[in-house]
Amino acid sequence: KNEVEQSPQNLTAQEGEFITINCSYSVGISALHWLQQHPGGGIVSLFMLSSGKKKHGRLIATINIQEKHSSLHITASHPRDSAVYICAVVRNRDDKIIFGKGTRLHILP
Amino acid sequence: DVKVTQSSRYLVKRTGEKVFLECVQDMDHENMFWYRQDPGLGLRLIYFSYDVKMKEKGDIPEGYSVSREKKERFSLILESASTNQTSMYLCASSFHPTGLYDNEQFFGPGTRLTVL
Protein backbone atom coordinates (compact mmCIF):
# COMPACT_ATOMS: atom_id res chain seq x y z
CA LYS A 1 0.00 0.00 0.00
CA ASN A 2 1.33 3.45 -0.89
CA GLU A 3 2.18 5.63 2.08
CA VAL A 4 0.60 8.66 0.37
CA GLU A 5 -2.67 8.36 -1.51
CA GLN A 6 -4.35 11.13 -3.44
CA SER A 7 -7.92 11.28 -4.65
CA PRO A 8 -9.29 11.67 -7.13
CA GLN A 9 -6.65 10.73 -9.71
CA ASN A 10 -8.38 12.83 -12.34
CA LEU A 11 -10.92 15.60 -11.99
CA THR A 12 -12.74 17.61 -14.64
CA ALA A 13 -14.91 20.53 -13.55
CA GLN A 14 -16.55 23.64 -14.96
CA GLU A 15 -15.08 27.08 -14.47
CA GLY A 16 -16.28 28.58 -11.19
CA GLU A 17 -16.74 25.31 -9.34
CA PHE A 18 -15.31 24.68 -5.87
CA ILE A 19 -12.59 22.03 -6.10
CA THR A 20 -11.35 19.66 -3.40
CA ILE A 21 -8.34 17.39 -3.75
CA ASN A 22 -7.57 14.94 -0.98
CA CYS A 23 -4.37 13.47 0.40
CA SER A 24 -4.24 10.64 2.93
CA TYR A 25 -1.07 9.25 4.43
CA SER A 26 -0.22 6.35 6.69
CA VAL A 27 2.99 7.48 8.38
CA GLY A 28 3.93 9.97 11.07
CA ILE A 29 4.95 13.22 9.46
CA SER A 30 6.66 16.46 10.34
CA ALA A 31 5.29 18.41 7.37
CA LEU A 32 3.15 18.14 4.29
CA HIS A 33 3.70 19.94 0.99
CA TRP A 34 1.27 20.74 -1.82
CA LEU A 35 2.83 21.28 -5.24
CA GLN A 36 1.40 22.35 -8.60
CA GLN A 37 2.77 21.11 -11.92
CA HIS A 38 1.63 22.76 -15.13
CA PRO A 39 1.78 21.11 -18.56
CA GLY A 40 5.37 21.46 -19.70
CA GLY A 41 6.72 20.22 -16.40
CA GLY A 42 7.49 23.18 -14.13
CA ILE A 43 6.62 22.56 -10.46
CA VAL A 44 5.67 25.28 -8.02
CA SER A 45 5.39 24.86 -4.29
CA LEU A 46 1.94 25.99 -3.10
CA PHE A 47 1.93 25.26 0.62
CA MET A 48 3.92 23.67 3.36
CA LEU A 49 1.96 22.94 6.51
CA SER A 50 2.27 20.92 9.68
CA SER A 51 -1.04 21.85 11.33
CA GLY A 52 -4.23 23.79 10.77
CA LYS A 53 -4.97 25.72 7.64
CA LYS A 54 -3.24 28.05 5.18
CA LYS A 55 -4.75 30.32 2.54
CA HIS A 56 -3.20 31.98 -0.48
CA GLY A 57 -5.55 33.74 -2.86
CA ARG A 58 -8.16 31.24 -4.03
CA LEU A 59 -6.23 28.27 -2.63
CA ILE A 60 -6.77 26.82 0.83
CA ALA A 61 -4.91 23.90 2.36
CA THR A 62 -5.94 22.11 5.52
CA ILE A 63 -4.42 19.29 7.48
CA ASN A 64 -5.80 17.02 10.19
CA ILE A 65 -2.87 15.33 11.89
CA GLN A 66 -5.01 12.92 13.93
CA GLU A 67 -6.83 11.69 10.84
CA LYS A 68 -3.68 11.74 8.68
CA HIS A 69 -5.46 13.70 6.00
CA SER A 70 -5.00 16.93 4.08
CA SER A 71 -7.18 18.72 1.56
CA LEU A 72 -6.43 21.33 -1.07
CA HIS A 73 -9.38 23.52 -2.02
CA ILE A 74 -9.69 25.88 -4.96
CA THR A 75 -12.48 28.43 -4.88
CA ALA A 76 -13.92 29.97 -8.07
CA SER A 77 -11.84 27.64 -10.25
CA HIS A 78 -10.45 28.93 -13.53
CA PRO A 79 -9.04 27.17 -16.61
CA ARG A 80 -5.56 28.40 -15.63
CA ASP A 81 -5.86 26.20 -12.50
CA SER A 82 -5.64 23.17 -14.80
CA ALA A 83 -2.56 21.30 -13.64
CA VAL A 84 -1.39 18.27 -11.71
CA TYR A 85 -1.51 18.79 -7.95
CA ILE A 86 0.95 16.75 -5.92
CA CYS A 87 0.90 16.03 -2.20
CA ALA A 88 4.18 15.17 -0.46
CA VAL A 89 4.81 14.25 3.17
CA VAL A 90 7.99 14.39 5.21
CA ARG A 91 8.21 11.16 7.20
CA ASN A 92 9.34 12.11 10.70
CA ARG A 93 11.23 8.91 11.55
CA ASP A 94 13.88 9.48 8.85
CA ASP A 95 13.14 12.91 7.34
CA LYS A 96 12.39 11.28 3.99
CA ILE A 97 10.01 12.96 1.55
CA ILE A 98 7.33 10.77 -0.04
CA PHE A 99 5.31 12.01 -2.99
CA GLY A 100 1.78 11.13 -3.98
CA LYS A 101 1.11 10.27 -7.60
CA GLY A 102 -0.76 13.50 -8.21
CA THR A 103 -4.26 14.60 -9.14
CA ARG A 104 -4.80 15.83 -12.69
CA LEU A 105 -7.26 18.73 -12.68
CA HIS A 106 -8.91 20.04 -15.82
CA ILE A 107 -11.13 23.13 -15.59
CA LEU A 108 -13.39 23.68 -18.57
CA PRO A 109 -14.25 27.24 -19.66
CA ASP B 1 12.80 35.86 -7.44
CA VAL B 2 14.35 32.48 -6.81
CA LYS B 3 15.58 30.95 -9.97
CA VAL B 4 16.56 27.36 -10.58
CA THR B 5 17.76 26.70 -14.09
CA GLN B 6 18.56 23.45 -15.85
CA SER B 7 20.93 23.19 -18.77
CA SER B 8 18.50 21.69 -21.28
CA ARG B 9 14.72 21.33 -21.63
CA TYR B 10 15.01 18.41 -24.05
CA LEU B 11 17.88 16.01 -24.59
CA VAL B 12 18.26 12.96 -26.81
CA LYS B 13 21.18 10.59 -26.21
CA ARG B 14 22.24 7.13 -27.31
CA THR B 15 22.58 4.07 -25.11
CA GLY B 16 26.01 3.97 -23.49
CA GLU B 17 26.68 7.70 -23.72
CA LYS B 18 27.76 9.66 -20.66
CA VAL B 19 25.18 12.33 -19.92
CA PHE B 20 25.54 15.46 -17.81
CA LEU B 21 22.52 17.35 -16.50
CA GLU B 22 23.35 20.68 -14.91
CA CYS B 23 21.34 22.62 -12.36
CA VAL B 24 22.10 26.11 -11.10
CA GLN B 25 20.31 28.10 -8.38
CA ASP B 26 20.84 31.75 -7.56
CA MET B 27 19.49 31.99 -4.00
CA ASP B 28 22.46 30.67 -2.02
CA HIS B 29 20.45 27.59 -0.98
CA GLU B 30 22.25 24.86 0.92
CA ASN B 31 20.04 21.97 -0.22
CA MET B 32 19.83 20.75 -3.78
CA PHE B 33 17.97 17.73 -5.11
CA TRP B 34 17.65 15.65 -8.25
CA TYR B 35 14.37 13.85 -8.95
CA ARG B 36 13.04 11.84 -11.83
CA GLN B 37 9.38 11.74 -12.72
CA ASP B 38 7.70 8.91 -14.59
CA PRO B 39 4.02 8.38 -15.43
CA GLY B 40 2.25 6.41 -12.73
CA LEU B 41 5.24 6.58 -10.37
CA GLY B 42 5.36 10.21 -9.37
CA LEU B 43 8.50 12.00 -8.26
CA ARG B 44 11.38 9.90 -6.96
CA LEU B 45 14.51 11.23 -5.32
CA ILE B 46 17.78 10.23 -7.00
CA TYR B 47 20.37 12.15 -4.98
CA PHE B 48 20.52 15.20 -2.76
CA SER B 49 23.17 17.47 -1.33
CA TYR B 50 23.03 19.67 1.76
CA ASP B 51 26.39 21.37 1.28
CA VAL B 52 29.26 21.78 -1.14
CA LYS B 53 30.98 18.46 -1.85
CA MET B 54 28.37 16.63 0.25
CA LYS B 55 26.04 14.16 -1.42
CA GLU B 56 23.60 11.55 -0.23
CA LYS B 57 21.78 8.80 -2.08
CA GLY B 58 18.07 9.07 -2.47
CA ASP B 59 15.65 6.28 -3.29
CA ILE B 60 16.92 5.36 -6.77
CA PRO B 61 20.64 6.23 -7.10
CA GLU B 62 21.64 3.24 -9.24
CA GLY B 63 23.09 4.27 -12.57
CA TYR B 64 23.57 7.88 -11.48
CA SER B 65 26.21 9.96 -9.78
CA VAL B 66 26.30 13.63 -8.76
CA SER B 67 28.76 16.42 -8.28
CA ARG B 68 28.55 19.56 -6.16
CA GLU B 69 31.79 21.50 -6.48
CA LYS B 70 30.14 24.90 -5.98
CA LYS B 71 27.19 25.84 -3.80
CA GLU B 72 25.06 27.05 -6.69
CA ARG B 73 25.61 24.11 -9.03
CA PHE B 74 24.49 20.48 -8.72
CA SER B 75 25.19 18.12 -11.59
CA LEU B 76 23.58 14.76 -12.31
CA ILE B 77 25.67 12.29 -14.28
CA LEU B 78 24.46 9.21 -16.11
CA GLU B 79 27.67 7.22 -16.45
CA SER B 80 26.35 5.01 -19.26
CA ALA B 81 22.87 5.97 -20.34
CA SER B 82 20.29 3.22 -20.76
CA THR B 83 16.80 3.27 -22.25
CA ASN B 84 15.21 2.84 -18.80
CA GLN B 85 16.67 6.21 -17.85
CA THR B 86 14.38 7.93 -20.33
CA SER B 87 12.45 10.25 -18.06
CA MET B 88 11.76 13.80 -16.92
CA TYR B 89 14.53 15.01 -14.59
CA LEU B 90 13.79 17.79 -12.13
CA CYS B 91 16.23 19.71 -10.00
CA ALA B 92 15.17 21.58 -6.85
CA SER B 93 16.78 23.67 -4.14
CA SER B 94 15.80 24.86 -0.69
CA PHE B 95 17.08 26.84 2.24
CA HIS B 96 18.33 24.67 5.11
CA PRO B 97 18.06 26.22 8.55
CA THR B 98 17.25 22.98 10.36
CA GLY B 99 16.12 20.14 8.16
CA LEU B 100 16.07 18.98 4.57
CA TYR B 101 12.39 19.58 3.92
CA ASP B 102 11.56 22.27 6.48
CA ASN B 103 11.22 24.84 3.75
CA GLU B 104 9.68 25.35 0.37
CA GLN B 105 11.48 23.64 -2.49
CA PHE B 106 12.07 25.62 -5.67
CA PHE B 107 12.05 23.53 -8.81
CA GLY B 108 13.74 23.95 -12.14
CA PRO B 109 11.79 23.62 -15.40
CA GLY B 110 12.85 20.01 -15.92
CA THR B 111 14.86 18.18 -18.57
CA ARG B 112 13.07 15.61 -20.67
CA LEU B 113 15.73 13.03 -21.51
CA THR B 114 15.22 10.40 -24.17
CA VAL B 115 17.76 7.58 -24.44
CA LEU B 116 17.64 5.72 -27.74
Side-chain angles (χ1 to χ4, degrees), chain A residues 8 10-15 17 19 103-108:
Chain A
N10 295 284
L11 178 58
T12 299
Q14 290 293 140
E15 183 173 356
E17 284 189 48
I19 303 298
T103 294
R104 187 174 298 275
L105 175 66
H106 187 44
I107 304 296
L108 300 170

Side-chain angles (χ1 to χ4, degrees), chain A residues 30-31 33 35 37 39-46 48 84 86 89-90 95-102, chain B residues 9-10 35 37 40-45 59 88 90 99-110 112:
Chain A
S30 56
H33 295 254
L35 310 169
Q37 185 172 31
I43 293 178
V44 174
S45 178
L46 297 174
M48 189 190 76
V84 176
I86 301 168
V89 303
V90 183
D95 209 29
K96 179 179 171 178
I97 193 163
I98 305 165
F99 293 89
K101 292 186 169 47
Chain B
R9 289 301 306 272
Y10 300 93
Y35 298 96
Q37 186 179 33
L41 295 177
L43 281 156
R44 292 181 291 166
L45 181 64
D59 299 318
M88 168 72 97
L90 289 144
L100 255 187
Y101 299 109
D102 285 359
N103 277 286
E104 178 184 359
Q105 289 197 21
F106 294 86
F107 285 82
R112 192 167 291 281

Side-chain angles (χ1 to χ4, degrees), chain B residues 4-52:
Chain B
V4 180
T5 56
Q6 294 183 228
S7 48
S8 307
R9 289 301 306 272
Y10 300 93
L11 207 53
V12 180
K13 295 291 181 181
R14 296 214 170 269
T15 302
E17 281 193 75
K18 190 168 186 175
V19 182
F20 293 87
L21 302 182
E22 303 282 340
C23 175
V24 178
Q25 50 92 5
D26 66 0
M27 278 301 288
D28 204 33
H29 283 168
E30 291 84 357
N31 299 330
M32 295 189 76
F33 309 83
W34 274 107
Y35 298 96
R36 67 177 279 177
Q37 186 179 33
D38 301 286
L41 295 177
L43 281 156
R44 292 181 291 166
L45 181 64
I46 305 171
Y47 267 96
F48 64 93
S49 167
Y50 53 86
D51 202 352
V52 176

Side-chain angles (χ1 to χ4, degrees), chain A residues 18-61:
Chain A
F18 181 81
I19 303 298
T20 296
I21 298 170
N22 297 298
C23 176
S24 296
Y25 52 92
S26 57
V27 294
I29 68 168
S30 56
L32 183 144
H33 295 254
W34 279 103
L35 310 169
Q36 179 193 55
Q37 185 172 31
H38 277 287
I43 293 178
V44 174
S45 178
L46 297 174
F47 296 102
M48 189 190 76
L49 61 167
S50 53
S51 65
K53 179 176 170 177
K54 285 190 176 178
K55 186 175 190 292
H56 186 250
R58 295 180 294 106
L59 299 176
I60 303 163

